[in-house]
Amino acid sequence: MTLLDFARGPGLQAAWLILIAGTAWRIIGVLLLRQRLHLAEPRTGIAGQARGAVTTVFTRFIPRRTFWPRIRVSVILSVVFHLGLVIIVLGGAPHIQVIQQFTGLTWPGLPKGVIVLVSGLTLASMIVMLLRRMFHPVMRLLSTADDYISWVTVFLPLLSGILLSGETIASYRTLLALHVLSVELLMIWFPFGKLMHAKLAFYSRAAMGINFSRKGAAT
Amino acid sequence: MDETLGEMLARRGFGRRSLLKFAIAMTSSLALPPMIAPVMAANLAKAKRRSVIWLSFQECTGCLETLLRSSAPTIDALIFDFISLDYQESLMAAAGADAERTLHEAVAANKGEYLLAIDGSIPVKDGGVYSLTGGRSNVSMLSDIAADAKAILAIGTCAAYGGIPKAWPNPTGAVGVEDLIEGKPIVNIPGCPPVPEVLSGVLVHFISFGRLPDLDDRKRPLAYFGTTIHDQCYRRPFYDQGKFAKSFDDEGARQGWCLFELGCKGPVTHNACASLKWNGGTSFPIESGHGCIGCSEPDFWDAGGFYTSLAGGSSAGWRNTGIALGVGVAGGIAAALSGRSKAT
Amino acid sequence: MTDFGFLADDGIVDALLMEVAGLLHRLIERGEAGSIDLRGLPLSDACIATLEQRLGRGEVAVTLTAAGRSDIHETGFPGVWWTKHEDEAGRIIALLIEVAIVPGILCADVDDIKRGLDRLPGSTNFSRRAA
């Protein structure tokens, strides 16, 4: 079996199963966490709390004006990076192909030139993020192995994908195998590190929203 | 007969110009510098008959059939004639004990000088009992006849890498020649079947220069296997523009758009089909509307389906996904419960 | 090669003409012949047609019949020859630009000459004696 066959076969299956199991474990684990006993009367009913949950998920996307000068760089880098990834993964023709193969859903892709441009911006934002994390005194102090591993597992698919679509540096077969394997590495790491924020952020925002609504606070 | 190739061709009415023309075509095909052609022609003219012993193992005879399909009486065919095909079970008239004697005589008469051509894979399981010739296993025949060969040509994907008999679950333990033989120059000419001009090119190179052409890390002649189908494909501009056929016979397919989404393995397949084409340059699978199946690469039968694009892969299936989900949920519950039991 | 029109590219044609110029320099200075194998390059039919047109035709045109037909003509640039070799079935097996005083294939080969001499009445089996 060649490396590519492994990547597209047993490797992909194993990574998927680990992703499913790990994600389920963490989400269930979080949802079943013990909650602090509430002794006060709730200020809103269930409906109000539910509304608070949903509202908070969306309001937290908007940075607060008070903090803007301090968080400006982080937010811009983060938006470029996250939007970039979404555009590449959901707009790139080969990715739509993968989704179609496994779900039957398909939609028109974006022109290759657009994807190339977006990939370049996303790559740049990731490199700046890493440099900032390594050289900004506070960031450096706060960073853990989790942060760096998570960066690497996202960077490798991005880089290998760019090289693959440019068909440069190595043969197509090698690049394709490396790209698929790097995505599998990401899938395996995903549930166990901070990348889980992709799922958990919504739960934590919702939990905050429920809590605040319960207390009658603004969300 | 001690006649040289030049004399044989002259006898058939082909002067040196014909040979030079052939050499010019061959140097182009082998991607050699054009100025090598007169040297090749001179060497070919002086060449003496070379003995070739052809052993067929676990094969479908497709490789032999493809090589016999030179229709026009070209110099190609004559050179093939010139090579003394001393043993080949489908083509020779002798059978049974006569055939076996022919084989032994050919080996003895050309010890150390004959080319050994193999088609078909070699089964090794259970002592090699799944493919026998005259009661003798292929494994045993191969090791015996390979010992005195000058070089070995593994013709077709089966002989090179195991091919279709090696496809999962490989019940006979089929392997390629290179898995069994060491210490001999081996050239792999894969393909299911291989492009016939590749074999002529390798043979001509060997006769002209006394050695095999430059090989890549999979022992394939670089001149023919140095690029992928994707690199030479005439539909490449459509790939670059993102114009893909979505199903067979849809509008895109009729326009001749790229077949990537229909499973074409061109980007990962090394062969000369897109440039040399088949049936004397008539066409090749992509030109006829079907994606490349990657038949010159190892394990292509197990590469996940001819109609699954390279962007896809194998699914873990609903059952396994369900099990994984169950395991995760159970783990989560266990973790949460153990957490809950601790004091806040 | 199937053609799609948009593959015609004068850039490649200009580059090839520069290579021809280089080979002509070599011919003049060192007397060395050279050639360019057009089928070894990723050229579309349109490119090849443009190239042939830019080179033009000169004073000499030769038809060679040896294991199929070959057409060789001197281009508008003396010493630059356009050579097309076909096999017996009419398929093109080589397409070259040759830079030489005269393409080698046009010269008679010594062994062929000897064989021809043998067939002449009155010959004294020259080739067998010399062997």
Side-chain angles (χ1 to χ4, degrees):
Chain A
M1 179 178 290
T2 66
L3 190 64
L4 181 62
D5 293 334
F6 172 79
R8 294 174 70 225
L12 184 61
Q13 293 169 24
W16 167 255
L17 295 174
I18 293 172
L19 176 66
I20 292 292
T23 305
W25 169 58
R26 286 205 70 184
I27 290 186
I28 298 293
V30 162
L31 288 179
L32 293 180
L33 278 175
R34 203 165 150 181
Q35 300 211 21
R36 201 147 41 120
L37 213 53
H38 296 288
L39 296 171
E41 282 285 321
R43 295 294 185 268
T44 56
I46 300 290
Q49 289 171 31
R51 208 172 333 136
V54 173
T55 316
T56 313
V57 166
F58 292 103
T59 55
R60 295 298 155 131
F61 277 119
I62 305 160
R64 292 195 79 90
R65 205 173 309 156
T66 343
F67 301 130
W68 182 247
R70 231 185 321 151
I71 62 174
R72 188 169 43 198
V73 175
S74 281
V75 170
I76 291 172
L77 283 175
S78 177
V79 167
V80 169
F81 163 72
H82 283 91
L83 264 185
L85 267 194
V86 166
I87 289 172
I88 295 166
V89 172
L90 295 182
H95 301 136
I96 297 172
Q97 267 257 281
V98 178
I99 294 169
Q100 186 195 24
Q101 197 214 322
F102 289 113
T103 68
L105 299 168
T106 188
W107 55 86
L110 288 170
K112 193 167 176 180
V114 171
I115 302 293
V116 168
L117 182 66
V118 171
S119 309
L121 289 172
T122 311
L123 187 76
S125 77
M126 282 202 79
I127 291 175
V128 173
M129 271 196 266
L130 179 69
L131 291 173
R132 199 159 170 269
R133 182 175 288 285
M134 283 165 61
F135 295 114
H136 188 292
V138 176
M139 295 292 285
R140 188 165 53 205
L141 212 62
L142 294 174
S143 300
T144 62
D146 184 358
D147 295 307
Y148 291 109
I149 293 172
S150 299
W151 186 91
V152 168
T153 56
V154 175
F155 189 74
L156 287 177
L158 181 62
L159 181 66
S160 59
I162 290 172
L163 293 177
L164 175 62
S165 81
E167 297 186 40
T168 183
I169 306 270
S171 77
Y172 191 106
R173 175 184 274 271
T174 305
L175 290 171
L176 181 61
L178 290 177
H179 183 61
V180 177
L181 286 170
S182 66
V183 171
E184 286 161 21
L185 180 66
L186 174 61
M187 287 164 81
I188 291 171
W189 173 249
F190 182 87
F192 306 110
K194 79 173 198 181
L195 290 177
M196 259 312 273
H197 78 275
K199 303 266 182 291
L200 293 174
F202 300 98
Y203 291 100
S204 70
R205 286 178 184 181
M208 255 198 297
I210 291 172
N211 236 348
F212 283 21
S213 298
R214 202 197 157 80
K215 293 179 184 165
T219 58
Chain B
M1 253 204 283
D2 254 350
E3 186 181 56
T4 64
L5 175 57
E7 286 160 0
M8 186 276 271
L9 287 172
R11 207 167 28 85
R12 305 282 197 104
F14 291 98
R16 284 308 144 80
R17 286 204 182 94
S18 303
L19 194 54
L20 180 56
K21 196 160 115 161
F22 173 76
I24 291 170
M26 267 294 140
T27 49
S28 174
S29 170
L30 283 163
L32 294 169
M35 300 317 287
I36 293 277
V39 178
M40 178 184 268
N43 286 352
L44 283 172
K46 289 192 305 238
K48 295 284 175 67
R49 280 204 105 135
R50 166 77 62 183
S51 170
V52 172
I53 292 175
W54 185 303
L55 297 179
S56 294
F57 293 147
Q58 220 178 8
E59 41 77 48
C60 71
T61 315
C63 291
L64 181 67
E65 289 293 322
T66 199
L67 297 169
L68 295 176
R69 290 296 144 239
S70 355
S71 38
T74 57
I75 292 211
D76 259 83
L78 287 174
I79 289 190
F80 212 60
D81 257 352
F82 184 70
I83 290 159
S84 179
L85 194 55
D86 288 332
Y87 182 85
Q88 211 294 329
E89 286 150 12
S90 302
L91 298 175
M92 57 201 281
D98 276 346
E100 288 187 51
R101 192 176 47 244
T102 309
L103 175 59
H104 294 304
E105 281 168 7
V107 170
N110 298 285
K111 227 175 166 65
E113 288 302 316
Y114 58 86
L115 287 177
L116 177 58
I118 310 277
D119 68 337
S121 60
I122 303 106
V124 299
K125 211 155 155 219
D126 298 330
V129 76
Y130 298 106
S131 182
L132 307 174
T133 308
R136 203 172 161 199
S137 76
N138 293 164
V139 188
S140 157
M141 269 184 95
L142 176 63
S143 70
D144 192 24
I145 311 288
D148 294 319
K150 191 164 176 83
I152 303 178
L153 311 175
I155 299 174
T157 305
C158 291
Y161 307 122
I164 188 172
K166 194 183 174 205
W168 185 85
N170 195 359
T172 64
V175 296
V177 171
E178 63 183 10
D179 295 320
L180 294 173
I181 301 291
E182 273 173 6
K184 284 277 172 191
I186 297 178
V187 61
N188 287 328
I189 303 174
C192 189
V195 176
E197 285 84 347
V198 176
L199 179 65
S200 338
V202 171
L203 285 171
V204 166
H205 191 287
F206 195 82
I207 297 169
S208 312
F209 304 118
R211 59 176 186 82
L212 295 170
D214 288 338
L215 307 177
D216 69 3
D217 62 342
R218 286 221 143 99
K219 300 194 183 68
R220 301 174 294 203
L222 267 170
Y224 300 104
F225 295 91
T227 56
T228 60
I229 305 296
H230 185 60
D231 293 333
Q232 305 274 3
C233 184
Y234 78 103
R235 294 194 182 197
R236 185 63 185 273
F238 293 117
Y239 172 92
D240 291 331
Q241 287 172 39
K243 291 190 168 127
F244 300 105
K246 304 282 178 188
S247 70
F248 288 114
D249 216 30
D250 74 355
E251 190 51 38
R254 284 172 209 257
Q255 295 286 338
W257 289 359
C258 176
L259 300 168
F260 185 90
E261 295 197 10
L262 292 172
C264 180
K265 303 297 184 297
V268 296
T269 304
H270 295 83
N271 208 341
C273 315
S275 45
L276 290 181
K277 301 197 192 178
W278 292 88
N279 294 317
T282 302
S283 180
F284 71 114
I286 291 163
E287 196 171 332
S288 302
H290 190 286
C292 169
I293 64 173
C295 76
S296 56
E297 294 291 327
D299 299 326
F300 79 96
W301 289 104
D302 292 327
F306 295 151
Y307 304 103
T308 309
S309 88
L310 280 169
S314 325
S315 161
W318 287 114
R319 193 186 68 120
N320 290 336
T321 304
I323 292 172
L325 195 63
V327 167
V329 168
I333 293 173
L337 287 177
S338 86
R340 287 171 95 96
S341 71
K342 298 192 188 108
T344 328
Chain C
M1 185 184 146
T2 314
D3 195 23
F4 290 95
F6 52 77
L7 293 172
D9 173 12
D10 273 329
I12 287 193
V13 173
D14 289 332
L16 283 170
L17 290 174
M18 281 200 277
E19 192 172 340
V20 169
L23 290 174
L24 278 170
H25 272 297
R26 237 180 53 178
L27 182 65
I28 293 167
E29 282 152 29
R30 301 209 295 267
E32 278 173 25
S35 56
I36 302 171
D37 176 6
L38 293 176
R39 279 161 47 105
L41 300 166
L43 296 170
S44 67
D45 293 343
C47 270
I48 293 178
T50 309
L51 185 58
E52 194 178 0
Q53 203 185 45
R54 294 268 292 266
L55 288 170
R57 279 186 177 258
E59 298 171 329
V60 181
V62 176
T63 305
L64 171 64
T65 308
R69 183 193 164 112
S70 299
D71 288 297
I72 303 172
H73 67 257
E74 194 180 39
T75 65
F77 303 91
V80 179
W81 306 78
W82 185 273
T83 304
K84 181 173 75 166
H85 291 300
E86 289 173 8
D87 65 9
E88 287 95 329
R91 289 183 294 249
I92 299 178
I93 56 173
L95 191 63
L96 310 159
I97 295 175
E98 294 189 76
V99 175
I101 304 294
V102 68
I105 201 168
L106 293 177
C107 303
D109 176 84
V110 170
D111 287 317
D112 284 346
I113 295 171
K114 290 178 192 168
R115 271 189 276 270
L117 178 60
D118 275 348
R119 296 195 326 264
L120 268 180
S123 79
T124 50
N125 286 335
F126 176 88
S127 67
R128 276 190 226 138
R129 253 199 316 154

